[in-house]
């Protein structure tokens, strides 16, 4: 991995250097960070999954971002579709978290409108720390009750999920550095609510061709949100870009 911007540097970036590139300046200041991978022609999936877009470098950064977050946010659709496993960090990353005063594992936070979630799903049932499910007051009561054994259920909003309320509720629990791994509908809603503070985007060196969607989905949003580039690093032809709210 090499830094291209700012200050291009031909010295390879080591583990600590990479972590430093993504660490928040102030952990108490809340941040919603998104992490996505896309092809050069803008596809969010290859054959329906993100796996075909990701390479060793993307996976390495993906793991580092999980290591430094307070909680991992994911849309129920991505959890169901991508076959999410429980978030289990290896010993190196757990040791880093202990040394930095963080709990060993970040909880997973699942955003769902319909609550069509199976409590025996591995991401819930095998989670090393109690997962959190965010829904709203009009969600089916029987599903809410069913999930209450497997997760803490946060009711945010009357008839739909109020994402700003969810971010505030998580902050009250000390979960301020939020890493969201998608998917596109959740990014669309976060953009609409103007909650995206950071976008980490891996550009994979391939053309996926037509067919796949973009990294964002849902109703159009206005006005557009302007971002500024914080860094660009590269490895094996992939570009890893970090953008933040201006
Ligand atoms: N390239 C990448 O980096 C990347 C990353 C993630 C996902 N993906 C791909 O994206 C595709 C999935 O797309 P998707 O848009 O369906 O993913 P998604 O946003 O994770 O899933 C949509 C579902 O998540 C819940 N949800 C999302 N936003 C919500 C909101 N504001 N309020 C309440 N519930 C909300 C709802 O679940 P309920 O139905 O339970 O109500 C909704 O049906 C998959 O093919 C996956 O492989 C790619």
């Amino acid at each position: 991995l090499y830094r291209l911007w700012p200050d291009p540097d031909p010295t390879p970036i080591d583990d600590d250097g990479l972590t430093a590139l993504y660490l928040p300046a102030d952990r108490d200041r809340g941040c919603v960070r998104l992490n996505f991978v896309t092809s050069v022609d803008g596809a969010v999936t290859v054959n329906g999954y993100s796996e075909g877009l990701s390479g060793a470098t993307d996976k390495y950064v993906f793991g580092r971002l999980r290591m430094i977050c307070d909680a991992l946010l994911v849309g129920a659709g991505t959890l169901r579709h991508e076959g999410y496993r429980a978030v289990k960090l290896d010993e190196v990353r757990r040791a880093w978290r202990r040394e930095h005063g963080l709990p060993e594992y970040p909880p997973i936070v699942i955003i769902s409108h319909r609550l069509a979630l199976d409590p025996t799903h591995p991401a819930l049932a095998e989670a090393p720390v109690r997962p959190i499910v965010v829904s709203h007051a009009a969600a089916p009561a029987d599903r809410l009750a069913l999930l209450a054994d497997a997760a803490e259920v946060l009711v945010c909003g009357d008839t739909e999920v109020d994402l700003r309320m969810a971010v505030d509720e998580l902050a009250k629990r000390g979960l301020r550095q939020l890493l969201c791994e998608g998917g596109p509908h959740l990014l669309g809603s976060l953009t609409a609510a103007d909650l995206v503070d950071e976008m980490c985007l891996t550009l994979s060196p391939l053309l996926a061709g037509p067919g796949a969607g973009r990294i964002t989905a849902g109703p159009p949003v206005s006005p557009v949100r302007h971002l500024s580039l914080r860094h660009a690093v590269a490895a094996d032809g992939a570009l890893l870009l970090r953008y933040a709210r201006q």
Side-chain angles (χ1 to χ4, degrees), residues 56-141:
T57 309
D58 177 60
K59 290 196 170 85
Y60 171 47
V61 173
F62 182 93
R64 287 272 133 180
L65 296 184
R66 282 187 167 191
M67 179 181 86
I68 63 180
C69 75
D70 290 336
L72 184 72
L73 237 68
V74 67
T78 294
L79 181 107
R80 289 188 294 257
H81 183 80
E82 291 264 332
Y84 256 60
R85 317 278 321 159
V87 179
K88 290 188 177 160
L89 308 183
D90 60 24
E91 175 49 30
V92 173
R93 287 181 290 163
R94 295 206 305 278
W96 186 94
R97 291 180 64 87
R98 284 194 302 269
E99 282 160 23
H100 289 81
L102 300 174
E104 281 205 318
Y105 298 98
I108 190 165
V109 179
I110 304 158
I111 313 290
S112 174
H113 182 81
R114 299 178 297 136
L115 281 184
L117 288 165
D118 178 355
T120 67
H121 189 291
L124 289 165
E126 293 164 22
V129 287
R130 195 162 165 76
I132 299 172
V133 172
V134 178
S135 199
H136 54 93

Side-chain angles (χ1 to χ4, degrees), residues 6-230:
D7 311 320
D9 188 348
T11 320
I13 303 171
D14 63 11
D15 282 353
D16 289 345
L18 184 73
T19 305
L21 274 177
Y22 288 96
L23 266 183
D26 176 3
R27 289 202 77 90
D28 289 337
R29 206 171 145 201
C31 176
V32 179
R33 165 183 279 171
L34 277 291
N35 185 34
F36 276 91
V37 59
T38 176
S39 63
V40 169
D41 56 356
V44 72
T45 52
V46 169
N47 299 325
Y49 296 92
S50 59
E51 175 64 24
L53 293 167
S54 186
T57 309
D58 177 60
K59 290 196 170 85
Y60 171 47
V61 173
F62 182 93
R64 287 272 133 180
L65 296 184
R66 282 187 167 191
M67 179 181 86
I68 63 180
C69 75
D70 290 336
L72 184 72
L73 237 68
V74 67
T78 294
L79 181 107
R80 289 188 294 257
H81 183 80
E82 291 264 332
Y84 256 60
R85 317 278 321 159
V87 179
K88 290 188 177 160
L89 308 183
D90 60 24
E91 175 49 30
V92 173
R93 287 181 290 163
R94 295 206 305 278
W96 186 94
R97 291 180 64 87
R98 284 194 302 269
E99 282 160 23
H100 289 81
L102 300 174
E104 281 205 318
Y105 298 98
I108 190 165
V109 179
I110 304 158
I111 313 290
S112 174
H113 182 81
R114 299 178 297 136
L115 281 184
L117 288 165
D118 178 355
T120 67
H121 189 291
L124 289 165
E126 293 164 22
V129 287
R130 195 162 165 76
I132 299 172
V133 172
V134 178
S135 199
H136 54 93
D142 53 338
R143 289 188 185 161
L144 225 135
L146 197 69
L147 281 164
D149 284 341
E152 180 185 357
V153 181
L154 289 185
V155 174
C156 297
D158 295 333
T159 54
E160 55 184 40
V161 174
D162 180 331
L163 289 168
R164 188 168 290 278
M165 189 187 289
V167 168
D168 290 345
E169 283 300 320
L170 294 171
K172 283 183 199 160
R173 288 160 177 74
L175 307 172
R176 294 187 182 83
Q177 302 302 316
L178 305 177
L179 171 65
C180 177
E181 294 180 351
H185 278 93
L186 185 51
L187 171 57
S189 320
L190 288 166
T191 307
D194 196 15
L195 284 168
V196 179
D197 297 306
E198 269 202 28
M199 170 63 77
C200 296
L201 184 69
T202 299
L203 204 57
S204 277
L206 55 93
L207 296 171
R214 290 169 55 201
I215 64 168
T216 192
V221 172
S222 62
V224 296
R225 315 285 180 204
H226 294 274
L227 302 171
S228 60
L229 182 62
R230 293 296 157 91

